[in-house]
Amino acid sequence: MNTSTPTQAALTTTESPKPKLTTSAMIASIAEEGQRTTKAPFGHALARLADERPDVVGLSADLAKYTDMHVFREAHPDRFFQMGMAEQVMLGAAAGLAEVGLTPFASTYSVFATRRAYDFLCLDIAEPRLGVNVVGALPGLTTGYGPSHQATEDLAILRGMPGLTIVDPADSVDIEQAVPALAAHPGPTYMRLLRGAVPTVLDEYDYQFELGKAAELRGGRDVLFISTGLMTVRALTAAEELAQDHVDVAVLHVPTIKPFDRETVLREAARGRLVATLENHSVVGGLAECVASCLAFAGQTARIVPIGLPDEFLAAGALPTLHDRYGLSVAAIKERVRREL
């Protein structure tokens, strides 16, 4: 039985409908309003590297424009290979190029590099330890197009692959510095790509990317944020705003998921602070479990609060709405920290 009063019923029927989600909101930049950004840092960094190294080549699986590989293509058209919608073929071709002494960067969406082409990455590239650099765009929740495009479990899938180096950069500075470091690395690598207008933040923290090393960006007595990828930028903003509430938060950025900087994490986690891990990835198999297992195997204890994506297939929609819903926004981070404290 409908027990609402006539007035309540009238209010219900006259409510304004919610605005429809737009495509632009589903692929919006991850930058906060007013934040400095750099356009296509990966593409420009790769093009600059190729100016110095004639062995550098680029491959795309019909997604050059959407992985910023088009910048490299325009600068070095003779060293760019368009493989079409065939990620497995692309990785096989990249392996062949590496076999003859070239240094390939192969770009596609993270979901295709990991779910669709895993076996080729494993047996054609990782097992023979070839210097192929796989670049995965739209990692985690950086698109609103639903589970078919959201690579929320790519780190979990790839962490078990022997010999594979995994990098999750925070901003344009991280990407620009990581590209030459990955090219110089002798084995296979996987980098989660932030594309388009990418936040530029780490230059304010005297930061230098070093493969396999974590970096303390900010000190703090009360809470330790251990973060990776785009969540490091959110962690820094949240830490600054929490300071206004007299909550002193340190931020430890972990750009390399594998090999994991156990020494630094153990040292920082041993200082008696609440430890919160922040990642643009499922809480299953990503940074949170890296930190937890690191402490457990060392016989060290700490209270760990995992801030990341839930163990479920996520909804489609506008990115700002989804980041609020799944706890990745600055507001959600601050609320979680206050609640845990």
Side-chain angles (χ1 to χ4, degrees):
M1 176 182 292
N2 185 352
T3 59
S4 62
T5 66
T7 302
Q8 290 173 323
L11 287 172
T12 301
T13 57
T14 57
E15 284 181 350
S16 300
K18 293 182 180 179
K20 292 183 178 179
L21 300 175
T22 63
T23 300
S24 61
M26 296 172 78
I27 57 174
S29 170
I30 58 169
E32 301 290 331
E33 186 175 353
Q35 199 168 56
R36 289 187 302 131
T37 62
T38 299
K39 189 174 182 179
F42 165 66
H44 289 290
L46 189 62
R48 287 194 299 269
L49 180 65
D51 290 339
E52 304 169 2
R53 291 186 49 169
D55 59 305
V56 171
V57 296
L59 301 88
S60 175
D62 203 32
L63 289 170
K65 180 180 178 181
Y66 303 102
T67 60
D68 293 342
M69 183 63 81
H70 69 287
V71 178
F72 175 86
R73 178 189 65 197
E74 293 165 5
H76 301 280
D78 57 329
R79 286 193 262 163
F80 171 75
F81 300 91
Q82 175 58 268
M83 306 305 297
M85 297 173 65
E87 294 79 13
Q88 296 149 319
V89 172
M90 180 182 71
L91 293 189
L97 292 168
E99 285 275 17
V100 297
L102 297 174
T103 302
F105 281 76
S107 68
T108 184
Y109 288 165
S110 294
V111 287
F112 303 146
T114 54
R115 298 178 195 163
R116 184 172 297 174
Y118 178 90
D119 202 36
F120 289 74
L121 175 56
C122 183
L123 297 181
D124 285 1
I125 295 172
E127 193 273 334
R129 301 178 183 178
L130 296 175
V132 174
N133 304 284
V134 179
V135 181
L138 303 185
L141 189 52
T142 50
T143 174
Y145 283 120
S148 65
H149 285 62
Q150 294 162 344
T152 58
E153 78 285 41
D154 57 329
L155 299 180
I157 291 171
L158 295 181
R159 277 178 58 213
M161 188 177 294
L164 180 67
T165 293
I166 303 173
V167 171
D168 192 6
D171 73 341
S172 65
V173 177
D174 233 3
I175 293 171
E176 289 167 352
Q177 295 182 10
V179 166
L182 295 176
H185 183 69
T189 71
Y190 171 76
M191 182 176 76
R192 301 180 104 202
L193 176 64
L194 303 175
R195 59 165 296 275
V198 179
T200 301
V201 175
L202 294 183
D203 57 343
E204 301 173 11
Y205 293 87
D206 193 28
Y207 172 79
Q208 182 67 42
F209 174 85
E210 187 176 353
L211 199 61
K213 295 295 182 180
E216 184 184 56
L217 303 178
R218 177 189 175 101
R221 299 182 304 272
D222 304 319
V223 180
L224 171 64
F225 282 166
I226 303 178
S227 57
T228 190
L230 69 86
M231 293 304 289
T232 289
V233 174
R234 303 276 173 88
L236 290 167
T237 302
E240 291 173 5
E241 296 183 8
L242 283 165
Q244 299 171 14
D245 296 333
H246 307 289
V247 179
D248 199 12
V249 182
V251 178
L252 181 68
H253 174 45
V254 183
T256 310
I257 298 298
K258 187 180 180 182
F260 194 66
D261 189 354
R262 301 174 187 277
E263 180 180 352
T264 301
V265 168
L266 289 172
R267 183 183 68 240
E268 294 301 318
R271 296 173 58 183
R273 298 168 290 187
L274 173 69
V275 176
T277 59
L278 293 84
E279 59 189 313
N280 171 36
H281 183 273
S282 168
V283 292
V284 175
L287 177 67
E289 290 192 359
C290 283
V291 173
S293 64
C294 176
L295 268 62
F297 286 127
Q300 187 171 313
T301 59
R303 183 181 170 205
I304 302 175
V305 175
I307 297 176
L309 299 171
D311 180 23
E312 62 187 68
F313 293 110
L314 308 183
L319 275 182
T321 302
L322 294 178
H323 282 199
D324 273 332
R325 174 174 177 175
Y326 293 116
L328 298 192
S329 68
V330 171
I333 294 167
K334 293 191 299 179
E335 175 58 29
R336 180 72 182 275
V337 170
R338 291 191 188 103
R339 189 166 67 246
E340 296 293 341
L341 286 174

